[in-house]
Amino acid sequence: MEFRDFHPSNAPASRARRPAAQAPSGEAHGLWRTLPLEGAFEVVYEDARGVWTTRILDARELKLGPGRTLLGGTDRAHGLYRGLRADRIRRLTEPASGTRIETGILDWLLARAEAQRRARAGRQRPRAA
């Protein structure tokens, strides 16, 4: 017996498939925007299997892309970079201030990144002599 006996190339399902549309090289990467973000957060996260986990993340950035936003940072438990989908974050706590967010998490993260950007811009302005 051969492989094609089990998976014939003339089966209706294989004929109906179209190749996935590929973006020209570099174009898909250009659709993503990265906002620097600093802070340590305790995140309750629902993974792709529906399992909820609690992670402590040293945030580095928010990545805004087509259809999703990622909170990127270093997972303290494993010492590895993680990109957590913002729509799967169920609760976000900032231990330093005691802030706890359960709704509007993405809006809060975007506002925080913008406030940090303005603070950095204010510190970098040259002083008039």
Side-chain angles (χ1 to χ4, degrees):
M1 245 183 214
E2 294 182 24
F3 178 78
R4 67 175 163 246
D5 293 335
F6 293 101
H7 300 284
S9 60
N10 61 354
S14 64
R15 282 194 314 253
R17 288 187 191 140
R18 293 183 314 190
Q22 301 266 336
S25 62
E27 186 175 316
H29 186 277
L31 297 175
W32 287 83
R33 201 175 86 187
T34 302
L35 302 175
L37 178 68
E38 297 174 4
F41 303 110
E42 181 181 86
V43 177
V44 176
Y45 184 74
E46 183 178 358
D47 69 11
R49 296 173 298 168
V51 177
W52 288 32
T53 61
T54 301
R55 302 167 189 233
I56 297 179
L57 193 74
D58 291 320
R60 299 288 175 248
E61 63 196 2
L62 273 178
K63 289 187 175 184
L64 307 165
R68 69 181 52 168
T69 300
L70 303 175
L71 171 62
T74 306
D75 183 348
R76 285 190 186 173
H78 301 98
L80 300 172
Y81 179 88
R82 299 279 187 217
L84 304 178
R85 284 180 44 177
D87 63 322
R88 290 187 178 164
I89 297 174
R90 301 298 171 226
R91 183 175 63 231
L92 183 132
T93 305
E94 184 181 30
S97 67
T99 303
R100 179 178 167 154
I101 314 255
E102 294 185 8
T103 60
I105 293 169
L106 177 57
D107 293 335
W108 187 86
L109 288 169
L110 288 168
R112 170 97 180 214
E114 178 61 21
Q116 288 179 358
R117 185 195 64 77
R118 277 188 265 125
R120 279 190 300 275
R123 286 187 301 232
Q124 294 176 356
R125 287 187 185 156
R127 295 183 182 221

